[in-house]
Amino acid sequence: MIPLRSFVVNSSGKLLSLPRQVPKYYGKSILSKAPAHYEQVFNPARLASTTSSRMMGGQLPASRKRANRGEFSSVESDDISFFSNMLGKNRVLTNESEIEGYNVDMWKIIQGQSRLVLRPKNTSEVSMILAYCSERNLAVVPQGGNTGIAGGGIAVHDEIVISTSLMNQIEEVDEWSGILVCQSGCVLEKLNEHLAQFDLIVPLDLGAKESCQIGGNLSTNAGGLRVIRYGSLHSNVVGCEVVLADGTVLDCMNTMKKDNTGYHLKHLFIGSEGTLGIVTKVAIQCPPKPKAVNLAFVGIDNFQNVLETFRLAKRDLGEILSACEYLDHETLACVSENLQMKSPIENSFPFYMMIETSGSNGKHDEEKLSMFLEKAMNKEFVSDGTIASQPSHIKNIWSIRERFPDALMKDGHLLVYDFSLPLESFHEMVEETRGHLGPLAKRVTGFGHLGDGNLHLNVTMDEFNPATLAKAEPFVYNWVAQRKGSISSEHGLGSIKRDYIYHSKSPQAVYYMRELKRLMDPKGILNPYKVIPHT
Amino acid sequence: MIPLRSFVVNSSGKLLSLPRQVPKYYGKSILSKAPAHYEQVFNPARLASTTSSRMMGGQLPASRKRANRGEFSSVESDDISFFSNMLGKNRVLTNESEIEGYNVDMWKIIQGQSRLVLRPKNTSEVSMILAYCSERNLAVVPQGGNTGIAGGGIAVHDEIVISTSLMNQIEEVDEWSGILVCQSGCVLEKLNEHLAQFDLIVPLDLGAKESCQIGGNLSTNAGGLRVIRYGSLHSNVVGCEVVLADGTVLDCMNTMKKDNTGYHLKHLFIGSEGTLGIVTKVAIQCPPKPKAVNLAFVGIDNFQNVLETFRLAKRDLGEILSACEYLDHETLACVSENLQMKSPIENSFPFYMMIETSGSNGKHDEEKLSMFLEKAMNKEFVSDGTIASQPSHIKNIWSIRERFPDALMKDGHLLVYDFSLPLESFHEMVEETRGHLGPLAKRVTGFGHLGDGNLHLNVTMDEFNPATLAKAEPFVYNWVAQRKGSISSEHGLGSIKRDYIYHSKSPQAVYYMRELKRLMDPKGILNPYKVIPHT
């Protein structure tokens, strides 16, 4: 018998096994020329905005550790000339006021330092830009609608921003298969508007749909409200075209639903946050537009009954269940206090659920939903509720859900977390975090995509307090790791959570991620300081 | 401006772009020590069985070019001793009669030459076996239920067969999330039987369900009848555990539905046919068991109306549509002539469809299906039909579908193809192939998973005729490539189609596949001669 592996314990106390033979590159930087002082720890804490406004221009937190700059070249005037010749001057932004919006995320968590924004219109231009940057050793960061909330699309230092906003052409909709082909810069809601003529919809829906782009959605494996019905983008993206760091165009642009010829490379680009390549085209399977939609908003007395209601909904609503959200009293109270929005039901409950159905026959769906609610009330899972069937009423109720982040931010400062957890532990986590933080938090609330096991845990404060942050992290990450959850269910790691990757991934997995990065981007110019920790 | 890329034309006349800078390893063997004479072309033609029986022991075609053996070690008596010490003698098979069944695929297309079969029971044993084989430079082939039809699970030379059949433990079913965790050797139908107590089903169904194993399903990204409803395994597998070539256990064993922490490595093992690692555990999201199932079998006058019927089904049956198969007259005639099975409807038609619904409310589903069929007949898309609602009737109709391959093989010899194509070209391909082959074929028929764009094209002969094969291939592969289809929609490439990979994949994609193989299996011991062509 040969001894197989040694073991290490990570910061959460989780036992981790190591590869038997530690491969020779193990632990080396993905940036071949990274200087020694790069070792300095990059603080992955998500820092809160100093303003409750989501508009650009607010003040950002000043103190925040940043990864040291890699040994990349700096942009020089010759580079600007080259890009201006290629793209024309109006697609090469260097003026500070023009760049400002590209240097801060929508939520004002991250301040970038880019001094150059390029706005290509097609794959060929992206390819030429990257071939040039690779040659010159210039670092870049791809940016879509800039709606990410983990810092993945913002320059950490002076990376060149490659904005996909002008790559917004819809190329084709196959009416038989329902497959849409478009450039990566198409805005999600614009795709939906285009698909309406074919009676199709995009199989994903998120609060940011008016601004987020399909390429960014793909790169972050965006989740949202309808994963329970249509699955993730790993299910729905049938093909993509990607430009690699050296300018190579990697054609994974299949437009067929099924293809088992070789390794399924496209999945490497779904969720890798632009660190392996820049997505330039997408082919996506679109489902038929539902003929009928209904939304129930219900009040529930205890968390066990939230779970029972979910299980009943899965069984009785089955194929028409299209969203299953939960929120706690504290979340709704915050919306009511800070935004003066009214609850859809009169009485207060410890928990609420939003249960949506979408189907091909309105009469059938209403019947199913009524029968389900009757059963849920008879069994005393649900205490009160209302059903909306009119689009305007449905929109009103969803708008409450969409304003949760705004309401929470109005408290002053907000720490928002995005976890996958066993369903039974959702409320336990909220309560334990509240107990752990005590008076350091103004509010600790929970809501999320219950149907997908995805909890958003929120901690608010009157103003940013480093003590709160220090008490919250890594406490919450450890809590999740101990339950084998995911420390980022849908938001991604970006720059702010990358150093916590070992809380959800084994050292072997991170080792192979780093090797993949090295394979596809040997100079490390593509979205550096993101996703994979430096050591 | 810099010139970006040169171009090459592949054998199908398709224009292919090459990476701008041809990477230094481009074109090198994945087997670092492969001898020069390995260059000899491995004939990828799928050869037919000489017997129509699916039982073991029939005679296999004798003449078939085989890839030259790589420079691996040969199994010696010390190796047998080592494995016997580790596993016990009854799990180390060396006797020819014991091994026979592992050396031929269910369809009798491929004859392997393995002289050693190992039957581990758990991950740790698989890890020890691979660590040892890696050290000794012994090639291996993982084998599940041995139901593959591209040769992926059969030794080409004397690779050691690692059978997962004894790794058949179901570990856990989470009743809240519906996520099942089990070892990779669990038989698909056994999982279904176990899930029944939780009112759940596995989200895939194929003819081979009584023998195929979930690890093999994952490794080949098996498709089948229900992809239209539940999506592919990329949608449903939430985690897996894999042993890499050097014995490293790669833990991608997430049991949460959503996880966006780093690169989504698990997808590399879905569909890579055991060439990157041996899957030892699987976590899979299981949907609720439908409360009602209905199956319609309809006759249709022309192919345009097949498409119209499909579109109407998608719109009107929507969320309850769970299978949408088509077959042509020639397929049904073959079943009737060769197996004396009766058509479910009296009259003959050029085309038939099998349209299944599964839902949570029987009354609603029947109503939807009746309304759909009424509309389809009023519009004259459908000419005749029958609906089965009783489980026994449904099973009878599906059993006709499941016997297609048997019926076709009874003609004498069968070439079966598995393509993704634009729906409009399904019948065109069958007709053009029939015209092209003329008297060289006895029958040319088409059936398939219309709802997924997946055509199974079949060519039968009285007895194997090399002239038929030579005229059929690469004709059919070229035909598919010209329409940007996939030359393997669900069966995989295995050993018999690997040299046609460029018909569906770009040289850049194959280059990176080869590099991935080199990264994960530097010695190339894991399932050699499969999926990725040698040069």
Side-chain angles (χ1 to χ4, degrees):
Chain A
M1 295 284 182
I2 19 174
L4 266 186
R5 43 189 51 80
S6 55
F7 291 92
V8 289
V9 174
N10 74 1
S11 57
S12 68
K14 195 175 163 191
L15 198 67
L16 300 162
S17 58
L18 273 177
R20 188 174 146 269
Q21 297 157 305
V22 177
K24 57 182 175 179
Y25 292 113
Y26 195 83
K28 260 202 190 173
S29 162
I30 52 168
L31 302 168
S32 52
K33 294 179 183 172
H37 62 267
Y38 190 82
E39 251 68 4
Q40 189 178 332
V41 178
F42 174 47
N43 188 334
R46 180 175 177 186
L47 293 178
S49 163
T50 52
T51 164
S52 59
S53 159
R54 287 170 67 176
M55 289 165 52
M56 298 297 173
Q59 208 189 330
L60 291 159
S63 68
R64 167 160 168 266
K65 272 187 189 171
R66 197 184 288 271
N68 284 347
R69 190 175 179 281
E71 278 194 353
F72 301 109
S73 306
S74 295
V75 173
E76 290 168 15
S77 61
D78 277 1
D79 302 320
I80 309 274
S81 303
F82 175 87
F83 293 127
S84 298
N85 282 338
M86 184 201 295
L87 302 173
K89 282 190 181 163
N90 61 339
R91 293 198 280 130
V92 177
L93 313 183
T94 53
N95 187 303
E96 202 170 320
S97 65
E98 286 175 325
I99 290 181
E100 194 183 12
Y102 297 89
N103 262 332
V104 65
D105 65 308
M106 194 175 77
W107 295 58
K108 302 186 175 311
I109 304 155
I110 316 284
Q111 176 67 61
Q113 296 179 18
S114 180
R115 291 188 286 270
L116 175 61
V117 176
L118 302 177
R119 308 206 301 159
K121 281 188 174 169
N122 54 48
T123 304
S124 169
E125 288 178 353
V126 174
S127 171
M128 286 189 281
I129 290 168
L130 284 178
Y132 181 87
C133 289
S134 175
E135 201 77 22
R136 281 272 296 119
N137 197 32
L138 289 164
V140 304
V141 51
Q143 191 180 97
N146 196 9
T147 61
I149 44 185
I154 298 288
V156 171
H157 290 283
D158 57 343
E159 300 94 275
I160 299 171
V161 174
I162 300 181
S163 164
T164 50
S165 293
L166 298 181
M167 297 175 62
N168 56 6
Q169 298 300 303
I170 296 172
E171 296 195 353
E172 192 189 342
V173 178
D174 183 315
E175 55 173 335
W176 294 114
S177 66
I179 288 169
L180 160 83
V181 177
C182 66
Q183 284 187 299
S184 58
C186 289
V187 169
L188 195 59
E189 192 57 12
K190 293 275 175 204
L191 292 178
N192 250 338
E193 286 164 14
H194 182 81
L195 286 167
Q197 64 189 294
F198 303 97
D199 266 346
L200 298 169
I201 54 166
V202 280
L204 97 152
D205 189 6
L206 22 146
K209 62 188 165 193
E210 306 278 354
S211 334
C212 68
Q213 297 173 11
I214 191 69
N217 296 146
L218 188 150
S219 300
T220 56
N221 187 30
L225 300 169
R226 303 275 147 59
V227 174
I228 192 171
R229 175 62 169 274
Y230 301 114
S232 80
L233 285 169
H234 286 286
S235 319
N236 298 305
V237 169
V238 298
C240 60
E241 180 192 72
V242 183
V243 180
L244 303 181
D246 69 353
T248 294
V249 180
L250 187 64
D251 175 8
C252 305
M253 201 55 201
N254 176 44
T255 54
M256 303 286 138
K257 194 169 163 186
K258 288 163 73 176
D259 174 32
N260 273 353
T261 55
Y263 306 159
H264 294 219
L265 297 180
K266 71 174 182 226
H267 294 280
L268 284 177
F269 303 99
I270 300 175
S272 54
E273 307 184 38
T275 61
L276 295 178
I278 299 185
V279 176
T280 47
K281 267 190 212 174
V282 177
I284 187 164
Q285 172 84 48
C286 298
K289 188 185 167 106
K291 290 180 188 152
V293 178
N294 296 288
L295 180 60
F297 188 100
V298 299
I300 296 179
D301 272 332
N302 60 64
F303 192 71
Q304 184 59 32
N305 281 339
V306 169
L307 297 183
E308 298 291 355
T309 304
F310 168 53
R311 179 150 63 177
L312 191 66
K314 273 218 294 192
R315 294 284 149 85
D316 282 16
L317 299 176
E319 63 279 0
I320 62 166
L321 184 62
S322 55
C324 189
E325 302 285 304
Y326 109 102
L327 54 144
D328 59 16
H329 170 73
E330 289 74 11
T331 304
L332 197 62
C334 182
V335 174
S336 151
E337 288 165 30
N338 289 356
L339 301 177
Q340 288 75 52
M341 289 179 97
K342 238 184 110 203
S343 165
I345 55 176
E346 216 159 296
N347 295 320
S348 270
F349 295 91
F351 301 97
Y352 305 92
M353 286 177 79
M354 298 168 79
I355 297 168
E356 190 197 67
T357 66
S358 306
S360 58
N361 184 312
K363 198 175 131 274
H364 289 169
D365 293 3
E366 275 173 41
E367 222 174 284
K368 282 194 185 86
L369 188 55
S370 303
M371 278 162 60
F372 153 72
L373 284 175
E374 203 182 307
K375 210 189 272 185
M377 291 185 93
N378 284 342
K379 286 175 181 275
E380 300 187 349
F381 297 159
V382 159
S383 305
D384 193 5
T386 180
I387 302 183
S389 295
Q390 296 294 322
S392 62
H393 297 166
I394 293 173
K395 203 175 169 186
N396 283 346
I397 297 182
W398 276 129
S399 72
I400 298 175
R401 167 69 182 80
E402 281 164 13
R403 299 294 299 280
F404 289 173
D406 291 346
L408 291 159
M409 284 170 87
K410 274 223 168 194
D411 266 5
H413 282 271
L414 168 64
L415 306 176
V416 61
Y417 299 100
D418 163 42
F419 300 133
S420 284
L421 276 172
L423 293 185
E424 315 88 272
S425 59
F426 270 42
H427 186 54
E428 192 188 344
M429 167 148 222
V430 177
E431 282 189 317
E432 287 201 14
T433 305
R434 188 179 294 132
H436 177 77
L437 292 178
L440 284 170
K442 180 171 183 177
R443 246 189 265 258
V444 177
T445 91
F447 64 87
H449 314 299
L450 189 80
D452 308 315
N454 184 179
L455 167 69
H456 293 307
L457 170 75
N458 314 280
V459 176
T460 73
M461 307 160 242
D462 288 325
E463 55 185 23
F464 175 65
N465 182 353
T468 308
L469 183 64
K471 188 133 192 183
E473 298 177 16
F475 172 82
V476 292
Y477 295 124
N478 291 347
W479 207 95
V480 170
Q482 278 153 18
R483 282 150 191 86
K484 293 186 178 175
S486 168
I487 62 145
S488 180
S489 183
E490 59 176 9
H491 293 169
L493 295 174
S495 57
I496 63 175
K497 280 182 279 185
R498 70 167 188 158
D499 281 340
Y500 286 113
I501 194 171
Y502 291 103
H503 276 63
S504 288
K505 286 283 158 28
S506 69
Q508 293 90 335
V510 177
Y511 166 78
Y512 280 102
M513 289 178 197
R514 193 173 275 134
E515 288 299 301
L516 276 170
K517 170 73 176 171
R518 200 195 305 276
L519 170 62
M520 301 227 162
D521 178 17
K523 290 184 169 180
I525 62 163
L526 209 52
N527 216 5
Y529 327 114
K530 312 280 169 70
V531 185
I532 311 293
H534 181 57
T535 51
Chain B
M1 293 286 185
I2 20 174
L4 267 186
R5 45 188 52 76
S6 56
F7 290 93
V8 290
V9 174
N10 75 1
S11 57
S12 68
K14 197 175 163 194
L15 199 66
L16 301 161
S17 58
L18 274 177
R20 188 173 146 269
Q21 297 157 305
V22 177
K24 56 184 177 181
Y25 291 113
Y26 196 79
K28 260 203 190 173
S29 162
I30 52 167
L31 302 167
S32 51
K33 293 178 185 172
H37 62 267
Y38 189 82
E39 250 69 5
Q40 190 178 330
V41 177
F42 173 47
N43 188 334
R46 179 175 177 183
L47 293 179
S49 163
T50 53
T51 165
S52 59
S53 159
R54 287 170 67 175
M55 288 165 52
M56 298 297 174
Q59 206 189 330
L60 291 159
S63 69
R64 170 160 166 266
K65 272 189 188 168
R66 199 183 286 272
N68 284 346
R69 188 174 180 282
E71 279 193 354
F72 301 109
S73 306
S74 296
V75 173
E76 291 167 14
S77 60
D78 278 359
D79 302 322
I80 309 275
S81 304
F82 176 86
F83 292 127
S84 299
N85 282 339
M86 184 202 296
L87 302 174
K89 281 191 182 161
N90 62 339
R91 295 199 279 130
V92 177
L93 313 183
T94 53
N95 188 304
E96 203 169 321
S97 65
E98 286 174 324
I99 291 181
E100 193 183 14
Y102 297 89
N103 262 332
V104 65
D105 65 308
M106 193 176 75
W107 295 58
K108 303 188 175 311
I109 304 155
I110 316 283
Q111 177 66 62
Q113 296 179 20
S114 182
R115 293 189 284 272
L116 175 61
V117 176
L118 303 176
R119 308 205 302 159
K121 281 187 174 170
N122 54 47
T123 304
S124 169
E125 289 178 353
V126 175
S127 171
M128 286 189 282
I129 290 168
L130 284 179
Y132 181 85
C133 289
S134 174
E135 201 77 21
R136 281 271 297 117
N137 198 31
L138 289 164
V140 304
V141 52
Q143 189 179 99
N146 197 8
T147 60
I149 44 185
I154 299 288
V156 172
H157 291 283
D158 57 344
E159 299 93 274
I160 300 170
V161 174
I162 300 180
S163 164
T164 51
S165 292
L166 298 181
M167 297 175 61
N168 56 7
Q169 299 301 303
I170 296 172
E171 297 195 352
E172 190 190 342
V173 178
D174 182 315
E175 55 172 336
W176 294 114
S177 66
I179 287 170
L180 161 83
V181 177
C182 66
Q183 282 188 302
S184 58
C186 290
V187 169
L188 195 59
E189 192 56 13
K190 294 273 176 207
L191 292 179
N192 250 338
E193 286 165 14
H194 182 81
L195 287 168
Q197 64 188 298
F198 303 96
D199 266 347
L200 297 169
I201 55 167
V202 280
L204 98 150
D205 188 6
L206 22 148
K209 62 189 166 193
E210 306 279 354
S211 333
C212 67
Q213 297 172 11
I214 192 70
N217 295 147
L218 188 148
S219 300
T220 55
N221 187 29
L225 299 168
R226 303 273 147 61
V227 174
I228 192 171
R229 174 62 169 274
Y230 301 115
S232 79
L233 286 169
H234 286 286
S235 319
N236 298 307
V237 170
V238 298
C240 60
E241 179 193 71
V242 183
V243 180
L244 302 182
D246 68 353
T248 295
V249 180
L250 187 63
D251 175 9
C252 306
M253 201 54 200
N254 177 43
T255 54
M256 303 286 139
K257 195 170 165 186
K258 290 162 76 176
D259 174 33
N260 274 351
T261 55
Y263 306 160
H264 295 219
L265 297 180
K266 71 173 183 229
H267 295 282
L268 284 177
F269 303 98
I270 301 175
S272 54
E273 305 184 39
T275 61
L276 295 179
I278 299 186
V279 177
T280 48
K281 267 190 212 173
V282 178
I284 187 165
Q285 171 84 48
C286 298
K289 188 184 168 109
K291 292 179 189 153
V293 178
N294 296 288
L295 180 60
F297 188 99
V298 299
I300 297 178
D301 272 330
N302 61 63
F303 191 72
Q304 183 59 32
N305 282 338
V306 170
L307 297 183
E308 298 290 355
T309 305
F310 169 53
R311 179 151 62 177
L312 192 65
K314 274 218 293 191
R315 295 282 150 84
D316 281 16
L317 299 176
E319 63 279 1
I320 63 167
L321 184 62
S322 56
C324 189
E325 302 285 304
Y326 108 103
L327 53 145
D328 59 16
H329 169 75
E330 289 73 12
T331 303
L332 195 63
C334 181
V335 175
S336 153
E337 287 165 28
N338 290 355
L339 301 177
Q340 288 75 51
M341 289 179 95
K342 238 185 110 203
S343 165
I345 54 176
E346 215 159 294
N347 296 318
S348 271
F349 294 92
F351 302 96
Y352 305 91
M353 286 176 79
M354 298 168 79
I355 298 168
E356 189 196 67
T357 66
S358 306
S360 57
N361 185 311
K363 196 174 135 275
H364 289 168
D365 292 4
E366 275 173 42
E367 221 175 285
K368 283 195 185 85
L369 189 56
S370 303
M371 278 162 61
F372 153 72
L373 284 174
E374 203 183 307
K375 210 190 271 185
M377 293 187 93
N378 283 343
K379 286 175 181 277
E380 299 186 351
F381 296 159
V382 159
S383 305
D384 195 4
T386 179
I387 301 183
S389 296
Q390 295 294 323
S392 62
H393 297 167
I394 293 172
K395 202 175 171 186
N396 283 347
I397 297 182
W398 276 127
S399 73
I400 299 175
R401 167 68 183 82
E402 280 164 14
R403 300 293 302 277
F404 289 172
D406 291 345
L408 290 159
M409 285 170 86
K410 274 227 168 190
D411 267 4
H413 282 271
L414 169 64
L415 306 175
V416 62
Y417 299 100
D418 164 43
F419 300 133
S420 284
L421 277 172
L423 294 184
E424 315 87 272
S425 58
F426 269 41
H427 186 54
E428 191 188 343
M429 169 152 219
V430 177
E431 281 189 317
E432 287 201 14
T433 305
R434 188 178 294 131
H436 177 76
L437 293 178
L440 284 170
K442 180 171 184 176
R443 245 189 266 259
V444 176
T445 91
F447 64 88
H449 314 299
L450 189 80
D452 308 315
N454 184 179
L455 168 69
H456 293 308
L457 170 76
N458 313 281
V459 176
T460 73
M461 310 161 243
D462 288 325
E463 54 185 25
F464 176 64
N465 182 352
T468 308
L469 183 63
K471 188 132 190 181
E473 300 177 15
F475 172 82
V476 291
Y477 294 124
N478 291 348
W479 207 95
V480 170
Q482 278 153 17
R483 282 150 191 87
K484 294 186 176 172
S486 168
I487 63 145
S488 182
S489 183
E490 59 176 8
H491 293 169
L493 294 174
S495 58
I496 64 176
K497 280 180 282 185
R498 69 166 187 159
D499 281 340
Y500 286 113
I501 195 172
Y502 291 103
H503 277 64
S504 288
K505 286 282 158 34
S506 68
Q508 293 91 334
V510 178
Y511 166 78
Y512 280 102
M513 289 177 197
R514 193 173 275 135
E515 288 297 303
L516 275 171
K517 171 74 175 169
R518 197 194 308 275
L519 170 63
M520 302 225 163
D521 178 17
K523 290 184 170 181
I525 62 163
L526 208 54
N527 216 4
Y529 327 114
K530 313 281 168 68
V531 185
I532 311 293
H534 180 59
T535 52

